[in-house]
Amino acid sequence: MLWCFGYRRGSIAKIIDDYKFRRVQAAAGILGDLLDSALPELPADAVIVPIPTTSRNMRRGYDHMRLIAKDLARKRKVGYSSLLRRRNNVVQHAARSSRQRKRQAKEFFEVSQSVDPKKLYVIIDDIFTTGSTLAAAAGCLREAGAENVQAAVIARHGNI
């Protein structure tokens, strides 16, 4: 299951870009609220898992999705875990094709802690383009034993 607030255009695109690239940390609350509005009720033992940013992008001083995930978990009164860890510094938007994105994504993540197969893990990210990043993250969690993995994004790239 994938939940999405809207498309990455107009004011949503500006808020995301300001948050990610211009260090406007106050936008985290707005983006978290948008994501929260897209999600259904979650079980009390659900765990919010952010897609981790690359260490290259940590130069902004924070992991943008980690801030949103922690706030969302607090609002929803569910668990939070940074279960996923980056294995490399590859940046997805640099890929030229969907095939290249999928190939790159297979090497992105590793699980840093044990998972409880009975819990719902909700992976969150800011932008959905081809789904390669989310698919790789979900596959990684499933390989580690998670049986129920779902995802939510703030915005979908494109017009489809």
Side-chain angles (χ1 to χ4, degrees), residues 2-6 12 16 19 27-42 48-51 64-73 75-76 122-128 134 151-156:
L2 172 69
W3 296 283
C4 178
F5 173 77
I12 293 173
I16 290 171
Y19 180 53
I30 296 166
L31 295 171
D33 288 345
L34 297 177
L35 190 57
D36 185 35
S37 73
L39 287 169
E41 188 171 332
L42 299 174
I48 304 294
V49 179
I51 292 290
H64 67 293
M65 290 312 299
R66 183 176 290 178
L67 294 178
I68 291 172
K70 285 181 176 181
D71 187 55
L72 180 62
K75 286 179 189 173
R76 288 295 186 109
V122 181
I123 301 167
I124 66 163
D125 203 2
D126 54 351
I127 301 167
F128 177 97
L134 290 173
V153 295
I154 299 163
R156 167 98 193 238

Side-chain angles (χ1 to χ4, degrees), residues 1-159:
M1 178 66 65
L2 172 69
W3 296 283
C4 178
F5 173 77
Y7 288 99
R8 186 183 181 276
R9 56 182 172 224
S11 58
I12 293 173
K14 180 168 178 13
I15 294 168
I16 290 171
D17 289 351
D18 284 350
Y19 180 53
K20 285 176 72 168
F21 306 118
R22 295 177 195 90
R23 298 184 179 131
V24 181
Q25 288 189 43
I30 296 166
L31 295 171
D33 288 345
L34 297 177
L35 190 57
D36 185 35
S37 73
L39 287 169
E41 188 171 332
L42 299 174
D45 66 344
V47 179
I48 304 294
V49 179
I51 292 290
T53 194
T54 62
S55 59
R56 174 190 297 164
N57 286 335
M58 286 297 291
R59 68 182 175 272
R60 72 174 66 99
Y62 58 95
D63 183 328
H64 67 293
M65 290 312 299
R66 183 176 290 178
L67 294 178
I68 291 172
K70 285 181 176 181
D71 187 55
L72 180 62
R74 183 188 51 76
K75 286 179 189 173
R76 288 295 186 109
K77 297 183 171 100
V78 298
Y80 160 84
S81 181
S82 53
L83 276 171
L84 296 170
R85 185 171 40 215
R86 284 279 181 169
R87 294 174 60 193
N88 60 38
N89 250 338
V90 174
V91 179
Q92 271 290 53
H93 59 77
R96 291 195 170 99
S97 69
S98 176
R99 182 180 302 156
Q100 186 181 15
R101 290 175 76 94
K102 288 177 186 173
R103 191 171 46 251
Q104 286 177 348
K106 288 180 183 177
E107 301 299 320
F108 279 176
F109 307 109
E110 60 189 7
V111 174
S112 63
Q113 305 164 34
S114 63
V115 300
D116 181 342
K118 295 180 173 107
K119 289 187 178 185
L120 166 62
Y121 292 93
V122 181
I123 301 167
I124 66 163
D125 203 2
D126 54 351
I127 301 167
F128 177 97
T129 303
T130 64
S132 298
T133 300
L134 290 173
C140 191
L141 286 174
R142 285 188 184 103
E143 285 178 21
E147 295 175 6
N148 192 358
V149 180
Q150 299 179 14
V153 295
I154 299 163
R156 167 98 193 238
H157 187 74
N159 295 319

